């Protein structure tokens, strides 16, 4: 199955130049440092783009051989990378009154059941990816549903948009309603087929996708680990230690495991391409394991606040941390909104997070943790031209605030606090304008 909606996209010329205030990172900013050398800010500069890649970054206006997009006075950032988000949960966003396990049963599982229908999967994927782009997110690590067709729809729709997408059929063979369970043999066949067809094609990559420990039998977890061991280029995504009741349930289901994380670790699911969502209730040993393996935690502040899951210890972590929306537990696809929520989570813990730490986690930090740092997450020569252009301020309140900002961090922090998808002026994916 293949489908595109290319007709709505504006083709950019082969060689073109973009003007604006360029902001990205050359390294990870230190916690609490508002003026780190890792920040690279070039006011009123030009990016030169050829065949979808950045080939120049300069102050001087390019010669007449370059077509141009003049975004003077606007903020130019790398496209955001959302490292944990659920395509089929777009419609359960903002569902009232529950914690994680009840929320799955009441809202999420019924919605996910409908993705057995290929037409529904395809329409859901297209709406979802267009919504990501409209939020300034050009790359994502995504959960579809247990249905093979839901992963196919996401891969095909992302390829049609030129997006970098990491996903894989969800594995769940127990503790889920009828219509949302697979079995080990069929699930393995489906994974092998999807890997062969999509992993490494265009900008797509496959993630062995375990929903979470309670919904997979030990046999299925072992199969998932074997897939990862057989091909080190595969990603792995799952949830870990999000909620106290969930952690207690995992301890009951896996009495031999040292911890929740250990359920994954002992079968080979924790490695340098593992994306572990949440990680609120990790113990000190878990933290060392994640750091040693080079895995990352996708921090989901909007979801953690909305579902009342808990407060993630960011400054205490020595492992890679990326930023994620976790829609529909999260209440917005906008990563600036999630940066603000991340700031509030730390404020409740008595800590203060700089705009640099937040922005880095949504761009270069996520790219490095996904082993894609040469490709995405920055505005350097050689990287793919996944670029978003933002209004520094939208509306009278933000304009008044922006007008009095003096230091760069002050200005960017106010932007992060007040911006959302309405600030997005343009979005380019591999050099093609999508918004
Ligand atoms: Zn999630």
């Amino acid at each position: 199955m293949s489908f595109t909606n290319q007709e709505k996209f504006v083709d950019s010329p082969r060689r073109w130049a973009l003007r604006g205030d360029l902001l990205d990172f050359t390294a990870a900013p230190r916690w609490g440092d508002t003026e780190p050398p890792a920040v690279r800010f070039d006011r009123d500069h030009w990016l030169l783009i050829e065949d979808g890649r950045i080939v120049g970054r300069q102050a001087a206006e390019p010669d007449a051989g370059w077509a141009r997009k003049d975004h003077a006075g606007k903020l130019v950032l790398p496209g955001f990378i959302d490292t944990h988000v659920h395509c089929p949960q777009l419609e359960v966003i903002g569902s009232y009154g529950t914690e994680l396990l009840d929320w799955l049963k009441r809202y999420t599982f019924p919605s996910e059941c409908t993705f057995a229908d290929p037409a529904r999967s395809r329409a859901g994927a297209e709406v979802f990816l267009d919504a990501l782009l409209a939020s300034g997110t050009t790359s994502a690590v995504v959960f579809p549903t247990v249905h093979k067709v839901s992963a196919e729809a996401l891969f095909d729709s992302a390829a049609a948009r030129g997006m970098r997408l990491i996903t894989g059929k969800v594995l769940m063979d127990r503790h889920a309603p009828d219509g949302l369970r697979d079995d080990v043999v069929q699930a393995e066949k489906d994974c092998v087929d999807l890997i062969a067809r999509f992993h490494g094609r265009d900008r797509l990559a496959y993630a062995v996708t375990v929903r979470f420990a309670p919904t997979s039998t030990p046999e299925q977890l072992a199969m998932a680990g074997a897939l990862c061991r057989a091909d080190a280029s595969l990603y792995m995504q799952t949830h870990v230690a999000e909620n106290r009741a969930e952690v207690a349930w995992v301890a009951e289901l896996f009495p031999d495991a040292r911890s929740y994380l250990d359920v994954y670790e002992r079968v080979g699911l924790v490695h340098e391409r593992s994306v572990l969502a949440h990680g609120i209730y990790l113990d000190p040993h878990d933290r060392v394991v994640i750091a040693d393996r080079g895995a990352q935690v996708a921090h989901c502040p909007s979801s953690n606040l909305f579902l009342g899951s808990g407060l993630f210890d960011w400054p205490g972590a020595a492992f890679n941390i990326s930023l994620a929306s976790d829609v529909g537990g999260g209440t917005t696809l906008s990563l600036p909104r999630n940066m603000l929520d991340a700031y509030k989570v730390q404020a409740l813990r008595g800590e203060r997070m700089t705009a640099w730490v937040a922005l880095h986690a949504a761009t270069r930090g996520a790219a490095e943790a996904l082993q894609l740092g040469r490709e995405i997450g920055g505005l350097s020569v050689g990287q793919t031209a996944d670029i978003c252009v933002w209004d520094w301020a939208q509306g009278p309140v933000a304009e008044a605030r922006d007008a009095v900002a003096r230091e760069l961090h002050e200005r960017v922090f106010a932007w992060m606090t007040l911006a959302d998808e309405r600030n997005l002026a343009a979005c380019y994916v591999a050099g093609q304008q999508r918004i």
Side-chain angles (χ1 to χ4, degrees):
M1 183 170 43
S2 167
F3 38 83
T4 68
N5 58 352
Q6 294 287 352
E7 61 278 2
K8 72 187 252 197
F9 300 145
V10 185
D11 271 350
S12 297
R14 221 190 109 239
R15 295 174 92 224
W16 62 282
L18 181 152
R19 178 187 191 185
D21 298 335
L22 313 182
L23 176 59
D24 66 349
F25 298 89
T26 56
R30 273 190 304 119
W31 187 267
D33 187 352
T34 57
E35 294 181 18
V39 175
R40 183 166 58 161
F41 181 66
D42 291 325
R43 186 190 296 277
D44 198 16
H45 270 52
W46 292 85
L47 286 176
L48 306 184
I49 292 144
E50 194 164 352
D51 294 331
R53 286 198 180 266
I54 298 168
V55 296
R57 174 172 172 146
Q58 62 191 47
E61 186 173 350
D63 65 40
W66 296 83
R68 48 208 68 204
K69 307 256 185 189
D70 192 338
H71 296 294
K74 295 191 189 298
L75 174 63
V76 178
L77 296 171
F80 289 135
I81 304 163
D82 187 340
T83 54
H84 180 74
V85 58
H86 298 256
C87 166
Q89 293 181 15
L90 215 53
E91 291 162 25
V92 301
I93 197 168
S95 292
Y96 170 76
T98 55
E99 283 200 5
L100 174 66
L101 299 177
D102 185 46
W103 183 83
L104 287 173
K105 215 179 292 172
R106 275 172 64 181
Y107 301 116
T108 305
F109 288 160
S111 175
E112 292 192 8
C113 277
T114 67
F115 277 66
D117 172 14
R120 163 77 165 133
S121 270
R122 172 181 165 169
E126 297 203 336
V127 168
F128 171 76
L129 293 175
D130 285 343
L132 281 185
L133 292 175
S135 303
T137 296
T138 53
S139 299
V141 185
V142 182
F143 268 65
T145 65
V146 71
H147 313 102
K148 186 181 182 186
V149 68
S150 72
E152 291 169 333
L154 265 175
F155 277 131
D156 281 330
S157 302
R161 287 159 180 75
M163 293 175 73
R164 183 163 279 286
L165 189 95
I166 300 170
T167 190
K169 175 209 123 53
V170 176
L171 298 168
M172 44 201 293
D173 64 347
R174 66 169 172 174
H175 297 138
D178 291 347
L180 278 188
R181 289 189 307 274
D182 55 12
D183 63 73
V184 177
V185 173
Q186 188 59 46
E188 182 173 19
K189 275 188 196 153
D190 289 348
C191 289
V192 168
D193 179 58
L194 289 167
I195 291 164
R197 286 162 55 207
F198 294 106
H199 185 56
R201 192 192 108 193
D202 300 323
R203 305 182 74 198
L204 311 175
Y206 196 84
V208 173
T209 302
V210 175
R211 173 166 221 121
F212 67 152
T215 46
S216 285
T217 56
E219 294 72 28
Q220 188 172 62
L221 292 169
M223 181 273 284
L227 285 174
C228 288
R229 278 197 300 275
D231 183 349
S233 71
L234 293 175
Y235 290 91
M236 195 288 293
Q237 59 176 340
T238 192
H239 299 84
V240 69
E242 173 178 0
N243 166 291
R244 290 185 195 281
E246 172 212 19
V247 173
W249 192 21
V250 171
E252 262 173 49
L253 291 171
F254 299 91
D256 298 337
R258 199 200 57 78
S259 68
Y260 189 160
L261 183 78
D262 188 50
V263 174
Y264 301 137
E265 160 71 0
R266 57 173 51 195
V267 293
L269 287 171
V270 183
H271 51 75
E272 63 183 9
R273 291 184 173 226
S274 298
V275 182
L276 305 161
H278 304 293
I280 297 170
Y281 302 102
L282 298 167
D283 65 28
H285 188 267
D286 292 338
R287 293 168 171 274
V288 171
V289 168
I290 294 173
D292 281 353
R293 297 285 178 277
Q296 68 179 294
V297 166
H299 173 38
C300 310
S302 159
S303 170
N304 296 164
L305 291 170
F306 185 71
L307 294 175
S309 300
L311 305 176
F312 175 67
D313 178 6
W314 190 327
F319 45 75
N320 296 319
I321 298 170
S322 52
L323 198 66
S325 69
D326 193 28
V327 161
T331 54
T332 174
L333 288 173
S334 164
L335 287 186
R337 294 254 65 80
N338 274 279
M339 292 174 203
L340 175 59
D341 281 339
Y343 180 83
K344 291 175 180 173
V345 166
Q346 295 313 316
L348 285 167
R349 298 182 63 260
E351 294 278 352
R352 293 295 181 269
M353 183 195 68
T354 65
W356 306 134
V357 167
L359 260 182
H360 180 263
T363 55
R364 182 186 174 277
E368 292 284 330
L370 292 168
Q371 323 256 308
L372 293 170
R374 293 164 67 103
E375 181 66 26
I376 56 174
L379 302 174
S380 287
V381 170
Q383 289 183 299
T384 303
D386 289 349
I387 301 165
C388 289
V389 182
W390 302 85
D391 288 324
W392 276 104
Q394 264 288 334
V397 174
E399 283 167 12
R401 179 66 186 88
D402 187 56
V404 298
R406 291 165 310 229
E407 309 296 328
L408 182 61
H409 182 262
E410 180 187 358
R411 192 178 191 201
V412 174
F413 185 79
W415 176 84
M416 179 190 103
T417 302
L418 299 171
D420 60 23
E421 62 275 16
R422 288 168 290 192
N423 290 60
L424 186 68
C427 171
Y428 302 92
V429 180
Q432 296 290 312
Q433 185 161 12
R434 302 299 186 191
I435 299 288

